[in-house]
Amino acid sequence: MTRALFIVDVQNDFTEGGALGVDGGDAVATAITRHLRAHAGDYELIVASRDWHHADHDNGGHFADGEPNYVDTWPVHCVAETTGAEYDPELDTGAVTHHVKKGQGVPAYSLFEGTTDDGEAVADLLTRHGVVDVDVVGIATDYCVRASALDAIAHGRRVRVLTDLVAGVAASSSEAALAELAHAGAELVTSTDR
Ligand SMILES: [Zn+2]
C-alpha cells in the first residue's frame, strides 16, 4: 500500500492574522508538524500546496471587485512572493517531497489544479508513484480541503481526512463539507486513530 499526504494551503493568509485567516489555523499548522515528526515515514509522497495568485489582477474574478461574498469572491490573498503566500511558520516543511502552486491568475480550490515545481500535475505524480491512498490535512476544510479530497476520490484514490488536522472558515459549512466527503467515500479519522 502506497500512501501520500496532502497538506493543503497552510499559508500565512489562511491562519490567524492573515487576509483570510481561519480560527485554529496556527494550531493546525503546529499539529501537522507534530504529525510529520511522528509519521513522515509512513508516506511515499508528502505534497504541500499553496494558493499563489497574481498581484494587480482579479485572478479570474476570484478577488472581489468591491465587497467579497466569501463564497466565490474573496479579499486579496496569497499573492505570489508575498509573506501572506508563504507557509505558516509553524508548519515544518522539511519532510515535504513536492511543493504545489495553484491559482496563478485563476480561482483554484483543489490541489489537483496545481503543478509541482517541475510542472507535473498532481494526478500524474500520484500515478507515477503508484499511490493508492491519500491522507488530507490543512486549510480550509470547507473550501480547498474539501475540493482536494473530492478530486482525489474522483481520481480513484482512497481518501482519509484527518479531522484534527483541518480548520475551516465556518463551523456549519465545515461540518457540511465533512459530511459530503464521508458520503463521497472518504474516511474521517483523527491523526491518533489512524
Ligand atoms: Zn485563492
Side-chain angles (χ1 to χ4, degrees):
M1 212 180 324
T2 307
R3 186 176 293 278
L5 177 68
F6 288 174
I7 304 171
V8 179
D9 296 12
V10 181
Q11 296 170 263
N12 285 321
D13 269 347
F14 295 138
T15 56
E16 285 86 346
L20 269 172
V22 307
D23 289 340
D26 284 333
V28 156
T30 301
I32 293 170
T33 293
R34 199 179 313 126
H35 180 69
L36 286 170
R37 289 198 176 126
H39 299 293
D42 298 353
Y43 298 104
E44 166 78 10
L45 300 173
I46 299 176
V47 182
S49 67
R50 274 175 293 179
D51 219 16
W52 199 257
H53 295 307
H54 291 342
D56 304 321
H57 189 286
D58 77 351
N59 290 275
H62 188 58
F63 287 176
D65 176 18
E67 276 302 298
N69 65 16
Y70 295 91
V71 176
D72 56 15
T73 65
W74 305 93
V76 171
H77 62 275
C78 297
V79 171
E81 313 294 349
T82 65
T83 303
E86 287 308 315
Y87 293 113
D88 185 287
E90 298 301 323
L91 177 68
D92 181 350
T93 58
V96 171
T97 62
H98 294 80
H99 297 274
V100 165
K101 294 190 180 95
K102 62 182 176 65
Q104 297 97 323
V106 291
Y109 296 95
S110 167
L111 168 154
F112 282 84
E113 295 175 79
T115 55
T116 67
D117 290 339
D118 293 332
E120 186 172 28
V122 174
D124 295 337
L125 175 70
L126 297 182
T127 299
R128 191 159 58 79
H129 285 266
V131 168
V132 176
D133 292 273
V134 177
D135 286 353
V136 183
V137 303
I139 303 169
T141 314
D142 31 359
Y143 292 93
C144 294
V145 168
R146 169 187 173 274
S148 299
L150 286 174
D151 263 357
I153 293 167
H155 281 89
R157 267 65 192 196
R158 282 200 302 252
V159 171
R160 298 190 307 194
V161 179
L162 306 186
T163 55
D164 55 326
L165 302 183
V166 297
V169 173
S172 59
S173 51
S174 295
E175 281 168 32
L178 291 176
E180 179 186 10
L181 287 167
H183 185 74
E187 193 183 347
L188 307 183
V189 296
T190 66
S191 60
T192 48
D193 285 349
R194 294 169 316 118

